[in-house]
Amino acid sequence: MLKYIIKRILQFIPVFFGVTLILFLVANYMPGSDPVQMKVGEKHVTPELRKQIEQDYGLNRPWYIQYGDYLVKLTKGDLGVSISTGREVSDIILEKYPFTLNLALVAIAIEIVIGICAGVISALKQRTFLDILVTLATSISVSLPVFWLGLLLQYFFGIYLKQQTGGAFYLPISGASGALPTWEYYILPGITLAAVSTAYGARIMRSQLIEVMGMDYIRTAKAKGLSGRQILFHHEMKNALIPVVTFIGLDFGAMLAGAVLTETVFNWPGIGFTVYRAIMARDFQVVIGCVTVILFAVMIINLLVDISYAFLDPRIRFGGSEE
Amino acid sequence: MRKRNVFLILAVAVVMVFSLAGCGEKATTGSTSGSATTTPVKGGTMSFYIGEPAYIDSYNCQETEGMQVVQAISDSLITVDSLDSSKLLPAAASSWSKNADATVWTFKLNPKDKFSDGTTVTAKDFIYSWNRIANPSAKNTLTGKSDPSVISYHLGFIQGYDAVQSGKSTELSGLKAVDDYTLQVTLSQSFADFAYVVTHPSLGPTPQKAVENGVTYNGKNVAFGDMPVGNGPFKMAEPWKHDQYIKTVRNDTYYGTAPYLDGVDFNIFKDPETAYTEFEAGNLDFTQIGAGKIKDAESKYGTSKNGYTANPNAQVLLGGETSVYYLLMNNENKYFKNENLRKAITLAINRQAICDIVFEGTREPADGIVPPGIAGYEKDTWTDSKYDIAAAKQALIDAGYPGGKGLPTVRLSFNSDGGHEKVMELIQADLKAIGINTTFDSADFPTYLKQLDAKNYDLGRLGWVADYPIEYNFLYPVFNSKSGDNKAYYKNTSVDTAISDAEKITDDAARLTKLQAINKTIGAANPVAPIMFYRHHHVASARLNDFTFDAMYLGNFSKVWITPGK
C-alpha cells in the first residue's frame, strides 16, 4: 500500500514540470502576451514606462530565467506579484482558496448524498414511478446550462420568494456580503455547482448497481440467506461504488480549480474567476501561482481517490490485480 | 423494511433541501411606509455597484472602479460641478490663480482641510502625493516593491517631470510649498486648462506617514493600499475586502459640508448582470441595468429628466458620458490620406443603427469627436459625422473612386476581445453599400495595439475616455502629431500650433472659442470617423434622493440622501 502511494506521489513530479513548463512557454510565446499594455488600458504606453514596469516585474528576462526564478521562489512559498494589481499572489490565493474549497465541499456533499441516494433508489425501484422521476430529473439537470440554472434559482429564491413573503423568506443571491459567508450563502451556488454532476453521479450509481444486482455472487449471497440490507451494503454497494467514487473524485478535483460560471453568476470570490481575470489581463504571475496551487490540490485529491479504491476493492488492497 | 428505508432517505433529502431553503432570516423589513419627505435627512448607507478595482491607492488609480472609491475618500484641489462641466468649484483649494501666460499656478488651500486621521492637509501633502505619482520607482504599499504609476502623464506639464521620469531627480522642481496653505505649481509650458487637470480624483493629497507606515485597524497594521487615508467626505471603515466590498463611513473631520449619508458601501461584483439581479432583489442602491432591460427598467423605475440625477420614480439614468468610440483611418495610408475618401467613409456609416441594434440605446450617435458633458460641447461640430449615403457616394466620386472603383479590398482591423465584431459587421455593410469592400482583420487587444503603433492597418477602431471634461483632452491626445494616442497619424502642424496657442489664452471664454474652432478645423478633414458616444445605463433605488452620477462616470456622494424608513 505504502509503495503504491509513493509511486503515485512520484508520478506528480513529471506532471508538475510538464504543466508549469508549458505554461511558461505559452506565456512567453503566445501572441498578444503584453501585460504592460493590459495594465495601462487603451492609452499609449510610453517606452520609459514600459521599460520600468518590465524591469520591476522581471518581464525583460528570458523565459528560462523567469522559470528558474519561479522554481527557486516556490521553494520559499513566494509566488510573485500580480502585475495588474501589484498584490502578492500568495495573498490573493490565501484569500480566495477558502471560498473555492468550501463551495466545492458543499457541492460534493450534495453530489454524494443526493446523487448516490437517487441512484440507489432508482436502481432498487426499477421501472416504478420513483425510477422514472429520478431519470427525468437527472435528464433535465444534465441538460440545463449552469448559468441559466443559477439565474432561475436566483430569481425564484432571491426575488420571487422575497416579494411573495414580504421579505420574510428568501435566500441570498451573491456571496459578496460576508468575510466568509454564513451557511445560507452556500445553498444556491452549491446546488448550481453540483447540479450536473449529481445527475451524472445518480445515473452511474443506478447503472452500476443494476449490473451488480444481476451478478452470480449476489444470487449466491441471497442463497446463503443474507438479509436484503446486508446484500445491499456489503456486496452490491461496495462493488457498484468504484466508478462513482472515481467520478466524484475527479469532479471534486475539477471543482478545486474553481468554477468560473458559478462564481460569476453568484459573485463568489473564488479562485476560478481570479484565474479567468488574470488570463484576460495577461497577468501571468497570478495564473502560474493559482495553477501551481490547483495542481497540488488536484494531485492530493487524485491520490485520496486512488487510496479509497483500495478500501473498496480488496484486489487493489492485496495487490491481486495489476494496477 | 427496505421500502421504508428508501422513503426515509428520500424524505431526509427533501427535508434537508427545504429546511435549508427556509433560512432567509436576514430579511430586511419590507415595509415601505416611509413618508415622502422632500427635505434631506441625515442617515443611511448607500450601496453602490463596482467591479473589482485594480487600485484604490490614488497614486495608481486610473480605471472607473477604483476612481469611485477615491472620489468618495479623497478631495482634489478643485472639483467640477457634477451637472455643468464648465463650472469649477473650490475643494481642498479655496481659491486659485494663474499668471499672465498660465505657466505659474497658485492654489490657496483651505486651512480647515484635514485627513480623516485628524492631521491637517498642507501643501507638502500635495507635493508628496504628486512626486509619488511622477516617480517611476514609486513603491506599492501592499508589497513594498517598485510599482510605477501608470497615471503620471497627468503631471507631464509640471516643470521637472522629465527629470523625475528619467530618474535624474526624485522631486518635481515645479512644485513649491510657499507656506503650509499655499501650493505653487510651475509648468514647463503655458497650460490655461491646468485647473481641470487638478480636478482629477487621483491627484488628491496623501499623508506620507500613513503611505509609508500603513494604518492601524483593530490593532493590526494594514497597508495604505488596502485602507487609504484621504481628506474626502467619507473614509474607509475597514480594509478593502478584495472581490467583495469596500466600506466607507462619513468622515467627521471633513472640512466641507458634511454628507447626509452615514456611509457608502461599494459592493464588488464580477458581472453587472448579477449586480442587477441583486438590485431587483432590493439589495443594491445603484447599478448598471442588465443587458436588454433598459425599456423594462424605465417603465418600472421611471427615467431621470436630466439623465444624471436620480430621485424616486425618476431612477433610470441615461445621460451621455464623456467617452467616444471612433473608426480609425490610417492618414498615412496611400488611399486614406485622401480627404474625400475619409469623408465618404464617415458619411456612409449609419450610426443610429449601430446604437440601436448593437447597444440597445446605451450609446448615442456621435456628431463629432467631443462628446456632450465636455465644457464647450456644441452639437454637430463635425459636419460629415452623419449618415448620408448620397453625399457619401458623391464624396467617393470626388475622391476619384466612383462607386469604389480603383479601391482595393480594405482591411477593417479591430481587437477581437471587446465585442466589436457586431459594430464592425454593420460598418462593413455600410461601406459595401457605397462600393467599398472590406475584410475583417481581428487580433487580441495587445497585438492589435501593436499593429496600430506599427501603422499596419487601413481602418481600425479605438475609444477615448476623457480624463478631464475639456475639449483639449480630446484635441491634443487624439490629433496632435506628437501624441502617442494619435493612432490615425493625422498630421497638421498648424493644428498642433493652434492647440498650444489656445492654451496660452488665460481668458476662459476666449480659449474655449478657440478650441471649438480648432475642433471644427480638424472635423472638416475627417481624420477619424466618430461613431458613438457612450451613455449611462444605470438605475438607482427608490430610496435615493438627489443622487448625481455625472458625465465623467463619477458618483456625487455629498448631496445624496436616503428616504427614512426605506
Side-chain angles (χ1 to χ4, degrees):
Chain A
M1 190 69 206
L2 189 68
K3 205 172 139 196
Y4 175 72
I5 293 173
I6 291 170
K7 204 170 117 195
R8 284 313 234 164
I9 292 174
L10 286 177
Q11 277 174 359
F12 175 63
I13 296 168
V15 174
F16 170 82
F17 281 101
V19 170
T20 51
L21 256 174
I22 289 170
L23 261 180
F24 265 87
L25 288 172
V26 166
N28 279 273
Y29 293 101
M30 184 176 67
S33 179
D34 184 358
V36 180
Q37 184 69 59
M38 298 308 287
K39 187 179 169 81
V40 176
E42 290 208 354
K43 289 210 156 90
H44 175 69
V45 188
T46 60
E48 299 83 36
L49 183 65
R50 176 177 292 281
K51 207 175 138 199
Q52 183 72 37
I53 295 179
E54 283 180 346
Q55 189 188 322
D56 288 344
Y57 288 90
L59 302 171
N60 50 353
R61 303 166 303 171
W63 72 269
Y64 46 88
I65 302 281
Q66 290 185 39
Y67 187 61
D69 188 47
Y70 154 77
L71 290 178
V72 170
K73 280 185 173 165
L74 186 63
T75 59
K76 298 174 196 152
D78 181 356
L79 293 172
V81 174
S82 154
I83 179 167
S84 58
T85 64
R87 299 184 68 206
E88 294 279 0
V89 177
S90 50
D91 285 354
I92 297 174
I93 293 171
L94 281 175
E95 191 180 87
K96 304 283 178 279
Y97 219 75
F99 285 95
T100 293
L101 183 65
N102 287 1
L103 184 61
L105 286 171
V106 169
I108 243 25
I110 294 173
E111 220 174 297
I112 291 173
V113 174
I114 299 183
I116 293 181
C117 285
V120 171
I121 291 166
S122 79
L124 295 180
K125 297 276 155 194
Q126 256 186 89
R127 289 179 218 99
T128 64
F129 172 71
L130 272 176
D131 185 24
I132 295 168
L133 190 75
V134 168
T135 312
L136 199 68
T138 52
S139 304
I140 293 173
S141 179
V142 165
S143 47
L144 275 184
V146 170
F147 68 92
W148 195 63
L149 174 66
L151 288 177
L152 281 184
L153 291 173
Q154 285 182 335
Y155 270 103
F156 183 72
F157 288 102
I159 298 180
Y160 179 76
L161 272 186
K162 192 178 182 183
Q163 284 163 354
Q164 292 302 310
T165 59
F169 176 81
Y170 68 97
L171 281 175
I173 294 170
S174 66
S177 300
L180 254 183
T182 40
W183 61 278
E184 67 264 25
Y185 282 85
Y186 287 95
I187 301 166
L188 299 185
I191 292 173
T192 308
L193 184 56
V196 174
S197 311
T198 305
Y200 277 122
R203 286 179 163 205
I204 297 171
M205 188 71 228
R206 178 181 184 273
S207 61
Q208 287 298 318
L209 200 54
I210 289 173
E211 197 185 317
V212 171
M213 277 156 66
M215 290 285 178
D216 288 347
Y217 62 85
I218 299 298
R219 203 173 46 204
T220 311
K222 277 184 190 157
K224 263 180 15 187
L226 290 178
S227 73
R229 181 191 295 228
Q230 273 174 319
I231 295 172
L232 177 65
F233 287 106
H234 290 280
H235 298 280
E236 293 172 350
M237 284 288 273
K238 250 186 158 176
N239 285 295
L241 266 176
I242 290 183
V244 181
V245 168
T246 311
F247 172 73
I248 292 178
L250 286 174
D251 198 43
F252 189 50
M255 282 179 189
L256 289 180
V260 179
L261 282 178
T262 309
E263 285 177 20
T264 308
V265 173
F266 290 96
N267 206 34
W268 198 259
I271 205 89
F273 191 82
T274 305
V275 176
Y276 168 76
R277 185 168 52 204
I279 293 170
M280 296 316 282
R282 314 291 192 271
D283 194 345
F284 182 64
Q285 286 298 335
V286 175
V287 178
I288 186 81
C290 292
V291 168
T292 307
V293 172
I294 291 167
L295 205 60
F296 277 104
V298 172
M299 289 305 295
I300 290 169
I301 294 300
N302 286 353
L303 188 66
L304 290 177
V305 169
D306 288 347
I307 293 170
S308 76
Y309 289 162
F311 287 97
L312 289 169
D313 189 343
R315 282 171 302 185
I316 296 173
R317 198 178 340 165
F318 299 117
S321 96
E322 276 301 307
E323 204 269 312
Chain B
M1 184 66 190
R2 197 196 257 183
K3 200 175 212 169
R4 218 185 59 201
N5 272 345
V6 169
F7 273 103
L8 201 70
I9 293 167
L10 191 69
V12 166
V14 169
V15 167
M16 268 182 60
V17 168
F18 280 91
S19 66
L20 288 175
C23 57
E25 326 91 354
K26 285 177 90 182
T28 49
T29 46
S31 74
T32 47
S33 56
S35 54
T37 41
T38 45
T39 43
V41 188
K42 261 198 169 184
T45 297
M46 168 184 175
S47 53
F48 186 99
Y49 152 73
I50 56 171
E52 166 84 350
Y55 292 80
I56 58 170
D57 183 346
S58 56
Y59 97 101
N60 213 349
C61 174
Q62 57 150 350
E63 17 85 280
T64 54
E65 315 297 352
M67 208 90 87
Q68 305 296 344
V69 182
V70 171
Q71 153 93 348
I73 61 172
S74 175
D75 266 12
S76 299
L77 289 165
I78 304 174
T79 185
V80 182
D81 188 303
S82 303
L83 293 173
D84 179 1
S85 53
S86 67
K87 256 192 226 158
L88 291 175
L89 305 171
S94 39
S95 67
W96 60 93
S97 59
K98 51 185 178 282
N99 69 348
D101 65 350
T103 51
V104 181
W105 290 71
T106 310
F107 300 91
K108 290 279 179 197
L109 305 190
N110 187 334
K112 284 190 211 145
D113 187 11
K114 285 188 174 124
F115 287 113
S116 58
D117 63 6
T119 53
T120 308
V121 175
T122 66
K124 284 192 182 123
D125 296 311
F126 278 94
I127 295 177
Y128 170 72
S129 180
W130 292 10
N131 277 333
R132 186 169 170 236
I133 292 171
N135 203 326
S137 54
K139 287 188 173 52
N140 187 312
T141 61
L142 298 173
T143 55
K145 291 174 184 158
S146 170
D147 185 21
S149 169
V150 298
I151 55 163
S152 62
Y153 64 89
H154 291 308
L155 305 172
F157 281 145
I158 297 177
Q159 214 169 59
Y161 176 78
D162 292 339
V164 175
Q165 281 281 293
S166 61
K168 283 183 200 133
S169 168
T170 55
E171 285 170 6
L172 293 162
S173 58
L175 298 180
K176 190 174 152 196
V178 178
D179 59 49
D180 274 0
Y181 302 112
T182 311
L183 172 68
Q184 196 187 70
V185 183
T186 309
L187 306 181
S188 50
Q189 66 184 79
S190 295
F191 191 42
D193 271 320
F194 186 66
Y196 275 96
V197 173
V198 304
T199 64
H200 196 278
S202 293
L203 298 183
T206 45
Q208 181 169 4
K209 224 172 107 186
V211 171
E212 283 165 10
N213 303 333
V215 183
T216 308
Y217 173 76
N218 269 356
K220 273 187 196 157
N221 189 273
V222 179
F224 187 83
D226 272 341
M227 199 169 176
V229 176
N231 61 336
F234 295 90
K235 60 178 181 182
M236 296 288 287
E238 55 178 281
W240 175 3
K241 273 269 171 213
H242 290 271
D243 279 308
Q244 290 180 268
Y245 57 78
I246 294 167
K247 283 188 199 297
T248 67
V249 290
R250 188 191 295 125
N251 170 16
D252 292 322
T253 66
Y254 188 51
Y255 65 99
T257 316
Y260 298 111
L261 295 179
D262 289 338
V264 181
D265 285 354
F266 295 94
N267 289 335
I268 300 169
F269 286 85
K270 296 173 175 55
D271 179 31
E273 299 295 329
T274 312
Y276 189 63
T277 309
E278 281 283 26
F279 175 84
E280 290 202 296
N283 306 327
L284 255 185
D285 285 317
F286 192 73
T287 188
Q288 280 181 32
I289 298 170
K293 290 178 187 155
I294 293 184
K295 287 273 170 289
D296 176 55
E298 282 192 277
S299 67
K300 270 199 249 174
Y301 307 112
T303 312
S304 158
K305 275 206 181 99
N306 69 4
Y308 301 103
T309 308
N311 273 300
N313 300 320
Q315 294 156 236
V316 174
L317 306 183
L318 301 171
E321 292 168 3
T322 53
S323 333
V324 61
Y325 183 111
Y326 56 93
L327 186 75
L328 277 171
M329 299 185 266
N330 186 348
N331 285 228
E332 290 191 0
N333 177 289
K334 115 178 193 208
Y335 299 100
F336 296 102
K337 59 182 170 193
N338 183 331
E339 263 186 41
N340 280 317
L341 178 59
R342 298 201 302 261
K343 182 176 170 178
I345 287 175
T346 189
L347 282 164
I349 299 168
N350 186 348
R351 296 164 173 80
Q352 189 67 54
I354 296 174
C355 295
D356 293 344
I357 296 169
V358 186
F359 297 100
E360 295 161 326
T362 59
R363 307 275 166 96
E364 62 184 85
D367 57 0
I369 196 75
V370 175
I374 297 294
Y377 163 77
E378 297 172 295
K379 270 191 177 307
D380 304 322
T381 41
W382 286 35
T383 45
D384 301 322
S385 192
K386 63 176 181 214
Y387 182 44
D388 186 341
I389 287 220
K393 284 181 175 160
Q394 183 56 47
L396 207 50
I397 294 169
D398 298 343
Y401 306 109
K405 260 181 214 141
L407 277 178
T409 300
V410 171
R411 273 184 305 159
L412 197 48
S413 307
F414 58 94
N415 49 315
S416 49
D417 42 13
H420 304 293
E421 191 156 341
K422 281 184 187 165
V423 178
M424 291 303 159
E425 277 170 9
L426 291 177
I427 290 176
Q428 185 171 48
D430 286 341
L431 295 181
K432 181 142 186 81
I434 61 165
I436 300 177
N437 291 315
T438 53
T439 162
F440 276 4
D441 167 38
S442 70
D444 60 274
F445 182 55
T447 308
Y448 170 66
L449 286 187
K450 283 202 178 75
Q451 208 180 321
L452 297 185
D453 282 337
K455 304 180 185 177
N456 176 22
Y457 77 98
D458 303 329
L459 299 175
R461 66 143 295 271
L462 266 184
W464 185 256
V465 183
D467 290 310
Y468 340 102
I470 46 175
E471 297 223 351
Y472 174 87
N473 196 219
F474 285 83
L475 306 184
Y476 181 88
V478 186
F479 302 114
N480 186 289
S481 59
K482 291 195 190 77
S483 161
D485 289 304
N486 176 3
K487 305 280 199 241
Y489 303 102
Y490 170 70
K491 192 173 179 184
N492 184 336
T493 42
S494 66
V495 163
D496 288 356
T497 323
I499 296 175
S500 61
D501 283 350
E503 288 305 332
K504 287 175 188 152
I505 308 173
T506 53
D507 180 76
D508 293 341
R511 181 174 69 255
L512 202 57
T513 313
K514 174 104 193 223
L515 288 169
Q516 285 169 334
I518 299 170
N519 184 19
K520 281 178 198 147
T521 308
I522 299 172
N526 295 305
V528 301
I531 305 291
M532 57 207 161
F533 299 134
Y534 292 70
R535 249 163 136 183
H536 286 341
H537 43 288
H538 289 75
V539 61
S541 72
R543 315 195 302 154
L544 296 192
N545 299 272
D546 277 338
F547 178 61
T548 300
F549 189 61
D550 70 19
M552 292 287 289
Y553 214 85
L554 292 171
N556 184 336
F557 302 108
S558 353
K559 283 190 183 150
V560 50
W561 56 280
I562 288 176
T563 309
K566 276 202 170 183

